[in-house]
Amino acid sequence: QVQLVESGGGSVQAGGSLRLSCTASGYTDGSYCMGWFRQAPGKEREGVAGIDSDSSTSYADSVKGRFTISQDNAKNTLYLQMNSLKPEDTAMYYCAADGLLCAASIGTISDLWINYWGQGTQVTVSS
């Protein structure tokens, strides 16, 4: 079992920045990779960014150039730096862990296939 705990959400005006963190604990043997998903009200959960064991990254088209995913393996912590935030970025953001995230681009992975989730952290961007 892997436990994921997110932090760093909040409210910000359009154009602002936030950094999300996700700390993993439990079975942290490196057999999985991690990523971020988000779900806006009334919408399906969608992949935002993923990172594999070699720190290769993938992003949803909607966040490319604005969001940066990174990881600190020594701390078992995943980050999402979000810059130039837009109102349409408003959503609950979830940290995810699964072996699939090691092998495929975030845009090709359904949230239905993910085994481990954090509890989510709310990001609200006002115009």
Side-chain angles (χ1 to χ4, degrees):
Q1 286 287 341
V2 177
Q3 292 81 45
L4 304 173
V5 179
E6 301 103 332
S7 62
S11 297
V12 66
Q13 289 190 328
S17 299
L18 286 172
R19 188 175 84 152
L20 307 183
S21 299
C22 171
T23 300
S25 61
Y27 194 50
T28 56
D29 70 341
S31 62
Y32 57 85
C33 293
M34 299 177 74
W36 292 96
F37 286 70
R38 68 184 181 186
Q39 187 168 24
K43 295 188 177 181
E44 294 185 352
R45 188 155 47 184
E46 62 176 357
V48 175
I51 187 166
D52 68 15
S53 55
D54 293 326
S55 294
S56 294
T57 58
S58 61
Y59 296 93
D61 288 342
S62 59
V63 307
K64 280 180 182 176
R66 300 188 298 121
F67 291 10
T68 302
I69 188 172
S70 62
Q71 60 190 0
D72 184 333
N73 292 326
K75 296 181 178 180
N76 292 323
T77 300
L78 180 73
Y79 302 100
L80 185 68
Q81 178 67 42
M82 304 184 294
N83 297 329
S84 301
L85 282 161
K86 304 176 180 180
E88 51 263 44
D89 295 318
T90 295
M92 185 72 78
Y93 282 71
Y94 297 91
C95 177
D98 196 276
L100 282 175
L101 291 165
C102 302
S105 170
I106 192 68
T108 65
I109 298 174
S110 168
D111 66 323
L112 299 176
W113 304 336
I114 299 297
N115 276 310
Y116 300 108
W117 293 101
Q119 82 285 358
T121 185
Q122 179 68 37
V123 171
T124 302
V125 185
S126 58
S127 57

